Structure formats: C-alpha cells, structure tokens
Amino acid sequence: MESKTVDIKAGGGYTVHIGSGILDACGEAVASVIKPCRAAVVTDSNVEGLYLERTMESLRGAGFDPISFVFPAGEGSKNMRVLSEILESFADNELTRSDVAIALGGGVTGDITGFAAGVYMRGIKYVQIPTTLLAAVDSSVGGKTAVDLAAGKNLAGVFLQPSAVICDTGTLSTLAPEVFADGAAESIKYGVLTDEDIFKIFECGDVRSSITDVIYRCVTIKGRLVEEDEHDNGARRLLNLGHTIGHAIENLSEYTFPHGHAVAVGMVMIARAGELMGITEAGTSERLARVLSKNGLPTSTGYSAEELYTAALSDKKRSGDSITLVMPEKIGSCRLMTVSLPEFSDIVELAVNG
Ligand code: GLY
C-alpha cells in the first residue's frame, strides 16, 4: 500500500494520508496520533454498507474500541436535529474527552461530525476519512465544520482542525459519475487558482489513473492557504473561486443543483466577466468551459443576472456594502477583488449577458 502524505501546520498539526487501499490501515494511522480509546465512527446510509465494517475492523486491530452512528444520506441530514442525535449517541456510548470521533464519508459527514466533535464536552479530537473526491480535495482538510440552518447553508459551525485525514482513493471507484464530477469541479478550481498542471490532467490526461497525484496537489495548495489564513479572513478566500455565483445558483435551485456543478458554472461566468473587464486573459472562459464539459459538468444555467445578483447578496462572504470576489487572471493565477454592490451587479450582468 503506497501512500503520499501532506503535513498541515494548523491546529495541532496533522497529516493527510492519500493512497489506494489505506482504509484497511486506518487504525494504525489513527493510533500514530491518538492513543487507543473509544472511537465513534459517524457515517451515512450510503457509505455504511460499503466501508463501515472495514473501518471498524482496522480500528479494532489497532486497539481502538469503535462504536458507530449512521444517519440517512443526503444534505437534508446536515441539520441541528441530526447533530443532536450524534451528540446523544456519543453520550449514550460514554465517550469521554480523551476519545475520538471519526467522520467516514463525504462532505456532509465530515462537516457534521467535525461540528459534533467541536462541541461534545467542549471539544474532542476527530479524524476525517473522506470517501468522495470533493471531500478528499476540499472539505476534509482545513477544519471548517458546519450544519445548515433554515436560513441558509453552513450557518452554524466551528473551526476545528482534524487530528488526521485518511483518504483511500479506492473508495472513489464506487462514486456515481455526477458525484465524481462534483469533486472534479473543485479539483479544476485548484488548477485555475495556482496549478496549471492539475488543470491539464483534467484537460487531456487520464484523471482516474492520476487521482492520487491530483488529490496530493490539491491538498498541498489548500494546506498552504489554511496555514496562512486558518480562519478564512485573507488568502484562504481564494478557495471561493466560482462560489459567489455558485452559491447563488444553489440557492435559486433550492439546493437541487449540486455544489460542484454550481461552482463549475460560477467559475466560467466570473472568467467571462473578467475577460470583458480586461482582467482575465482572453480565451480563459472558453478553455475552462471545455474542460468542465469534458468532465461531465455544466457551464451555464437559465438564471437571469438579476436573479443571480439578488441570490448572491445573501452569501455570508458579503461584508456590508461590498463583496470580495475571486477573479481569474489566467489558468493558474487568480486574485481577490473587493467590489461595491453596484460594481458587483455590473459584473454579474457581464457574466450573464456579456
Ligand atoms: N471550502 C473552502 C475552505 O475550506 O475554505
């Protein structure tokens, strides 16, 4: 079992392990940073049948005493009610402050388990075992945890860095194509941000056979941004490329439009506006649209500029009368740009109607 590792110097410092088949050694990886204790594995009803028993077995083999909590799969479970059920299950199983929570699954599982770990007994350790590409390249690293409120997505949560991240690339083989595509959008985003080589893998390479390298590169970029700006007030905001318009699309579709798909459209639109404003190299939006289509992602929606502008204003990244956008300069380079709301309205107009 060969694996690559990325060390992240945030929180107490932790290692991201990436490799095929490493789920069967997850117990050893956890034991290298947390001494054997009770381990509460939280997963969803899709992942339960696929990977829960392997995880429990490996944890037992390394001396842990694992228990599990399974919730219904889907974004609809990322709420205060399921959070409360997880916390009650931790208490019923007599987890103490020296025990550990383990998130086994995609973004919803990682976000809600991390939040539960952050508030149970005022904070216990947790480990991320991502099983989707989106969780592997983005949400399992960086310590953002959350649940959704009636008023919007991710409105309640804490920053809590995990103690380890164990990404078995073998688990990606069971993903539905549209779920893999969601993670492809976030991976392509890293290519647009700083690493044209990642972009080229999705443009003309063999993505599946390069997946360990793709995740390694994405996590390395994210790790550096998180180290520089753990609490998301500065450089980390570059990770929001495509997200301002993307979140507006998700919101308008009442969250039926998957996150990565919405980010894909958001990236193309902001690149198009950037080209018309003379900031983005000519041809970038077309190149981006081609690579996204090739990877099963949409590049446009039917929403009007006015609908998108109004929905984008509810974004939590807005601050008072201005909004900070991530503007591509070319593939491999982006910059943060703070604009007034009237300027933002003009940019959305350019993005939609050219
Ligand atoms: N998903 C963006 C971030 O972690 O900052």
Side-chain angles (χ1 to χ4, degrees):
M1 264 180 288
E2 220 179 285
S3 72
K4 287 190 167 208
T5 58
V6 182
D7 290 326
I8 314 271
K9 295 179 207 70
Y14 56 99
T15 300
V16 182
H17 306 259
I18 308 153
S20 178
I22 65 174
L23 184 63
D24 297 310
C26 70
E28 281 166 48
V30 180
S32 69
V33 286
I34 296 171
K35 68 175 192 307
C37 57
R38 184 153 291 181
V41 183
V42 179
T43 194
D44 72 22
S45 50
N46 285 341
V47 176
E48 176 189 15
L50 294 168
Y51 305 118
L52 179 59
E53 197 37 52
R54 275 173 66 190
T55 306
M56 302 285 273
E57 201 180 308
S58 178
L59 288 166
R60 272 186 221 109
F64 289 91
D65 172 20
I67 55 117
S68 63
F69 179 89
V70 181
F71 63 87
E75 181 79 26
S77 286
K78 206 173 110 172
N79 58 39
M80 294 298 280
R81 187 181 48 75
V82 175
L83 174 72
S84 153
E85 287 170 9
I86 293 171
L87 293 171
E88 294 293 351
S89 142
F90 288 179
D92 291 346
N93 285 285
E94 299 177 354
L95 252 69
T96 67
R97 289 186 85 174
S98 52
D99 292 324
V100 63
I102 301 199
L104 172 69
V108 170
T109 305
D111 282 6
I112 198 166
T113 308
F115 191 10
V119 295
Y120 183 71
M121 291 193 165
R122 302 194 181 88
I124 62 171
K125 292 183 171 164
Y126 79 113
V127 168
Q128 291 270 18
I129 306 185
T131 61
T132 65
L133 182 57
L134 192 141
V137 298
D138 185 30
S139 56
S140 66
V141 176
K144 278 189 182 173
T145 78
V147 296
D148 303 335
L149 299 182
K153 271 187 80 173
N154 295 330
L155 289 183
V158 295
F159 281 101
L160 179 69
Q161 300 294 334
S163 297
V165 181
I166 300 154
C167 173
D168 182 344
T169 54
T171 63
L172 308 181
S173 63
T174 50
L175 294 178
E178 65 278 11
V179 179
F180 189 87
D182 249 350
E186 290 282 0
S187 308
I188 290 166
K189 178 191 79 178
Y190 288 98
V192 182
L193 281 179
T194 67
D195 185 345
E196 194 176 3
D197 287 344
I198 298 179
F199 192 91
K200 284 183 179 159
I201 292 173
F202 286 89
E203 195 168 45
C204 52
D206 178 350
V207 174
R208 293 275 180 175
S209 70
S210 312
I211 206 68
T212 300
D213 190 40
V214 167
I215 297 169
Y216 173 80
R217 283 167 174 271
C218 295
V219 168
T220 301
I221 297 167
K222 177 153 188 181
R224 298 301 86 90
L225 291 169
V226 169
E227 286 168 359
E228 188 180 333
D229 173 28
E230 187 172 339
H231 294 108
D232 204 19
N233 301 309
R236 182 172 180 166
R237 292 177 300 168
L238 285 165
L239 296 171
N240 294 326
L241 172 63
H243 282 58
T244 303
I245 294 177
H247 282 154
I249 294 169
E250 286 184 270
N251 184 314
L252 288 166
S253 75
E254 293 179 355
Y255 297 95
T256 56
F257 215 94
H259 178 69
H261 288 56
V263 168
V265 178
M267 287 193 289
V268 174
M269 290 178 86
I270 200 70
R272 186 181 305 133
E275 282 179 48
L276 292 165
M277 294 162 76
I279 298 170
T280 308
E281 189 173 274
T284 301
S285 63
E286 247 186 71
R287 188 175 168 205
L288 186 49
R290 261 199 314 275
V291 80
L292 292 167
S293 298
K294 179 174 184 272
N295 287 278
L297 290 155
T299 58
S300 63
T301 64
Y303 296 118
S304 69
E306 198 184 328
E307 285 173 310
L308 289 168
Y309 172 75
T310 307
L313 292 192
S314 64
D315 195 304
K316 64 184 186 306
K317 268 102 196 170
R318 175 183 157 202
S319 111
D321 289 341
S322 65
I323 193 157
T324 299
L325 302 172
V326 187
M327 197 52 98
E329 294 171 325
K330 58 181 185 175
I331 302 299
S333 173
C334 290
R335 70 159 102 131
L336 291 171
M337 192 173 138
T338 300
V339 296
S340 67
L341 296 187
E343 285 167 332
F344 177 55
S345 168
D346 293 345
I347 290 172
V348 177
E349 180 64 33
L350 284 178
V352 176
N353 299 318

